[in-house]
Amino acid sequence: MRLTSFTDLALRVLMRLAVTEGEDLPTTRDVASTMCVSYTHTTKVVARLQHLGLVEARRGRGGGLALTDAGRTAPVGGIVRELEGPGDVVECEGATPCPLRSACRLRGALREAQEAFYAALDAHTVTELVADPTRTLLLDIGSGPPPRTTP
């Protein structure tokens, strides 16, 4: 199973906001810069997360983005289900329908695997995902050059 870049970014935005402390809330532009992604794409992601009640966006002086309680405690699998939307792992009815579709068992097996994937994510919350050492890394991102890794 492969997540869309939209869902991937949404999870990273939620994780970044989960470690925000104090009244210095990051803006959408700050988060986009920190995550090294397009501001436009991040704006769309933040709007969707706000619509889902996971993120609160405050305007004006002292404004910025904040994770809601629902954003902290929602199962990650539920968030991914909402962002990915309904659909099968494979397209059986597309422009060129699969000739096996009337008696195929693969589609059912793939749906079962997809649900197992989501169920595994349901066991986690955003708060759990940002426990140390991830928390420390998220707080350090954007505060200087990325750490060097040795091969």
Side-chain angles (χ1 to χ4, degrees), residues 85-128:
D88 291 324
V89 176
V90 294
E91 180 63 45
C92 300
E93 306 293 334
T96 308
C98 176
L100 303 176
R101 72 185 180 281
S102 64
C104 183
R105 299 179 81 186
L106 176 62
R107 189 177 194 178
L110 290 173
R111 277 191 190 135
E112 187 178 319
Q114 182 178 23
E115 188 48 43
F117 173 79
Y118 290 140
L121 291 175
D122 279 336
H124 304 282
T125 64
V126 172
T127 299
E128 290 175 38

Side-chain angles (χ1 to χ4, degrees), residues 24-85:
D24 193 20
L25 300 176
T27 65
T28 302
R29 193 168 301 281
D30 295 336
V31 172
S33 175
T34 299
M35 295 295 148
C36 301
V37 293
S38 136
Y39 169 72
T40 305
H41 195 190
T42 307
T43 301
K44 292 174 187 175
V45 166
V46 167
R48 179 78 168 120
L49 293 173
Q50 189 176 5
H51 177 76
L52 292 173
L54 303 173
V55 169
E56 180 183 357
R58 301 176 193 157
R59 293 180 174 259
R61 188 173 181 92
L65 303 174
L67 197 59
T68 65
D69 288 338
R72 291 183 190 286
T73 60
V76 174
I79 296 169
V80 172
R81 278 184 195 90
E82 282 292 326
L83 296 172
E84 290 290 313

